[in-house]
């Protein structure tokens, strides 16, 4: 046969002297606020991609155009979903257009810059 064990209700002031817990030391957990860390990597990559795109378009450097595509991908991969995607999309489209224009003007394979 099982015996029914009566547990004290939480509202009662039952204190067991053998209980090591100290009610005065209880601190309720408060979640930290929206600790949003502002990561500047996507912004830097978008800016760098636009600079490489412009250099690729103006100087007809294929390596600069490919670097712009690389920077655009990194900027897209590191951007947040809540951010406005217009700048990332414009950076990506500018870098792709720099690659296309570089190869339309000179269809030979890219020569290493060194």
């Amino acid at each position: 046969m099982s015996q029914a064990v009566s547990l004290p209700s939480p509202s009662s002031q039952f204190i067991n002297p053998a209980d090591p817990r100290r009610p005065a030391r209880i601190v309720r957990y408060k979640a930290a606020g929206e600790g949003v860390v502002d990561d500047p990597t996507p912004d830097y990559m978008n800016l760098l991609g636009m600079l490489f795109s412009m250099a690729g378009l103006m100087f007809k450097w294929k390596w600069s155009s490919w670097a712009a595509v690389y920077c655009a991908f990194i900027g897209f991969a590191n951007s947040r979903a809540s951010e406005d995607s217009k700048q990332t999309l414009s950076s990506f489209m500018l870098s792709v257009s720099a690659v296309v224009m570089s190869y339309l003007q000179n269809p030979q394979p890219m020569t290493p810059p060194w």
Side-chain angles (χ1 to χ4, degrees), residues 29-40:
Y29 173 74
K30 294 179 185 171
E34 294 294 323
V36 177
V37 177
D38 188 25
D39 186 22

Side-chain angles (χ1 to χ4, degrees), residues 27-93:
V27 178
R28 186 170 178 87
Y29 173 74
K30 294 179 185 171
E34 294 294 323
V36 177
V37 177
D38 188 25
D39 186 22
T41 304
D43 296 330
Y44 288 147
M45 285 297 138
N46 285 336
L47 178 66
L48 211 63
M50 288 188 186
L51 290 175
F52 278 134
S53 297
M54 296 310 261
L57 284 171
M58 285 193 275
F59 302 123
K60 299 179 181 78
W61 291 338
K62 292 179 184 175
W63 64 268
S64 179
S65 301
W66 283 111
V69 171
Y70 184 70
C71 289
F73 275 127
I74 292 174
F76 175 71
N78 288 325
S79 65
R80 298 187 192 279
S82 62
E83 288 181 2
D84 187 24
S85 61
K86 288 180 184 177
Q87 183 177 1
T88 305
L89 183 64
S90 66
S91 174
F92 182 70
M93 293 304 291

Side-chain angles (χ1 to χ4, degrees), residues 10 22 33 101:
R22 296 175 280 180
M101 292 305 291

